[in-house]
């Protein structure tokens, strides 16, 4: 049987042995009164990538570590000062204009916008070339049907599939006879014109007494500004041509001066006025 005094001795020996083992494991200096008094402690999550720096005390207890950290340490725990890569980038407003444009083109948004703009431009050009195009009225030769500043749409499809008819308003490239009158170097010689077809191939046309006669029949023309103050014809419209006159008969440089218009010169038919808003419509266009 072991005496009580012997138990106390054995207990002291065991505690001393345990203290020696812990001291060997963690470092005796870490448990000195001076060391502990100069440390502050914090609990940090257990990670395998984070290691204590020199001068720290580490206590291992399953999933936590206890660190004794210098109060003056600007980076306690030895953690890195992580810097986001985006923090080093300049804001969009801080870079130059050309750099902004280059960055915009390189972005997903810029690429999508360029694709949209390119597609829209291609469609618009295709529509203008083959289907419909806008035109601006610069003079009063077609008054009162059109006034200066009117903008109208000219469709370019039906001229290929449907023959021209009387009273249709057409836009066309000026014929050679017109260019000879105004001069080939004149700006007007290169501009498209707009007039009304009054006769087609095979028709006999005459203007007398201020009225228009086609094949001997006087025409009802409510769209004209006034009766014609000139005499014209009679003439026969040759194949492949049409005769065009301005609605403002006495103030129009048209077919009664320079002759017939080749049908191939026609760009398209005027279909409606779209500007200004108070003149939108097809009034006077047949």
């Amino acid at each position: 049987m072991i005496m009580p005094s012997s138990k106390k001795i054995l207990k002291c020996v065991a505690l001393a042995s345990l203290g020696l083992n812990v001291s060997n494991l963690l470092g005796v200096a870490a448990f000195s009164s001076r060391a502990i008094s100069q440390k502050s402690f914090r609990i940090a999550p257990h990670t395998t990538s984070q290691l204590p720096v020199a001068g720290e005390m580490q206590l291992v207890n399953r999933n936590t570590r206890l660190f004794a950290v210098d109060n003056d340490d600007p980076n306690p725990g030895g953690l890195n000062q992580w810097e986001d890569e985006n923090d080093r980038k300049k804001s969009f407003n801080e870079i130059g204009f050309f750099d902004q444009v280059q960055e915009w083109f390189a972005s997903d948004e810029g690429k999508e916008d360029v694709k949209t703009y390119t597609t829209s431009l291609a469609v618009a050009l295709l529509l203008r070339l083959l289907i419909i195009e806008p035109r601006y009225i610069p003079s009063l030769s077609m008054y009162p049907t059109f006034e200066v500043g009117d903008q109208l749409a000219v469709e370019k499809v039906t001229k290929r599939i449907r023959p021209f008819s009387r009273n249709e308003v057409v836009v066309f490239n000026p014929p050679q006879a017109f260019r000879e009158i105004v001069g080939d170097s004149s700006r007007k010689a290169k501009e498209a014109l707009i007039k009304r077809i009054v006769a087609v191939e095979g028709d006999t046309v005459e203007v007398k007494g201020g009225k228009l006669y086609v094949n001997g029949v006087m025409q009802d023309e409510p769209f004209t500004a006034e009766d014609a103050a000139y005499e014209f014809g009679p003439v026969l419209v040759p194949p492949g041509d049409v005769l065009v006159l301005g609605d403002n008969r006495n103030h129009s440089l048209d077919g009664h001066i320079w002759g017939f218009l080749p049908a191939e010169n026609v760009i398209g038919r005027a279909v409606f006025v779209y500007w200004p808003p108070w003149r939108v419509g097809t009034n006077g266009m047949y």
Side-chain angles (χ1 to χ4, degrees):
M1 183 172 85
I2 300 176
M3 300 299 293
S5 60
S6 301
K7 289 182 180 181
K8 290 181 179 180
I9 294 172
L10 291 175
K11 192 177 204 177
C12 291
V13 172
L15 289 173
S17 177
L18 178 60
L20 180 61
N21 292 333
V22 173
S23 297
N24 291 333
L25 177 63
L26 302 178
V28 176
F31 288 93
S32 65
S33 60
R34 182 170 174 232
I36 294 176
S37 65
Q38 295 178 353
K39 309 294 181 179
S40 60
F41 296 89
R42 67 183 178 83
I43 300 297
H46 180 283
T47 62
T48 58
S49 61
Q50 182 179 353
L51 297 177
V53 298
E56 292 184 341
M57 181 186 69
Q58 179 184 25
L59 292 179
V60 180
N61 182 12
R62 291 187 180 179
N63 292 329
T64 62
R65 289 178 179 175
L66 181 64
F67 293 101
V69 185
D70 290 336
N71 288 329
D72 297 333
D73 187 355
N75 187 18
L79 296 176
N80 293 324
Q81 297 294 330
W82 298 105
E83 181 181 8
D84 191 346
E85 182 179 354
N86 292 327
D87 294 340
R88 297 192 298 269
K89 293 182 178 179
K90 294 182 178 180
S91 67
F92 191 76
N93 293 329
E94 293 176 343
I95 61 178
F97 173 75
F98 292 104
D99 292 333
Q100 289 181 12
V101 173
Q102 185 177 6
E103 185 171 333
W104 179 78
F105 273 109
S107 66
D108 292 338
E109 180 183 0
K111 293 177 181 178
E112 186 66 24
D113 288 346
V114 169
K115 180 180 178 181
T116 301
Y117 298 151
T118 302
T119 303
S120 301
L121 179 61
V123 172
L125 291 176
L126 186 64
L127 287 174
R128 182 183 176 92
L129 180 64
L130 299 177
I131 300 176
I132 195 167
E133 68 178 54
R135 286 288 174 173
Y136 172 84
I137 302 298
S139 71
L140 290 173
S141 67
M142 284 293 291
Y143 180 83
T145 304
F146 301 120
E147 296 184 2
V148 174
D150 284 355
Q151 298 182 40
L152 60 145
V154 179
E155 65 87 10
K156 307 165 72 173
V157 177
T158 57
K159 70 174 185 177
R160 301 181 178 90
I161 59 178
R162 179 163 61 87
F164 296 110
S165 302
R166 302 185 194 102
N167 294 335
E168 288 183 328
V169 178
V170 293
V171 175
F172 56 91
N173 294 315
Q176 180 60 36
F178 176 88
R179 292 197 295 268
E180 290 175 355
I181 293 174
V182 300
D184 288 335
S185 59
S186 172
R187 182 172 59 89
K188 291 184 178 180
K190 302 176 183 178
E191 293 179 348
L193 304 175
I194 182 168
K195 304 294 178 188
R196 187 183 300 273
I197 297 176
V198 297
V200 296
E201 61 178 67
D203 286 341
T204 300
V205 187
E206 183 179 8
V207 176
K208 61 181 180 180
K211 301 297 182 181
L212 174 70
Y213 292 82
V214 177
N215 298 325
V217 179
M218 186 178 71
Q219 304 297 300
D220 181 22
E221 299 181 299
F223 42 76
T224 57
E226 57 188 356
D227 290 345
Y230 55 82
E231 301 290 323
F232 174 76
V235 295
L236 177 66
V237 181
D241 290 350
V242 293
L243 180 67
V244 294
L245 300 177
D247 289 352
N248 197 357
R249 292 288 159 86
N250 298 317
H251 303 277
S252 176
L253 181 59
D254 52 29
H256 86 277
I257 297 174
W258 45 260
F260 303 108
L261 172 71
E264 62 183 16
N265 283 37
V266 175
I267 296 173
R269 293 176 167 94
V271 288
F272 66 90
V273 174
Y274 64 84
W275 190 265
W278 55 87
R279 289 185 53 79
V280 170
T282 61
N283 187 36
M285 289 178 279
Y286 293 83

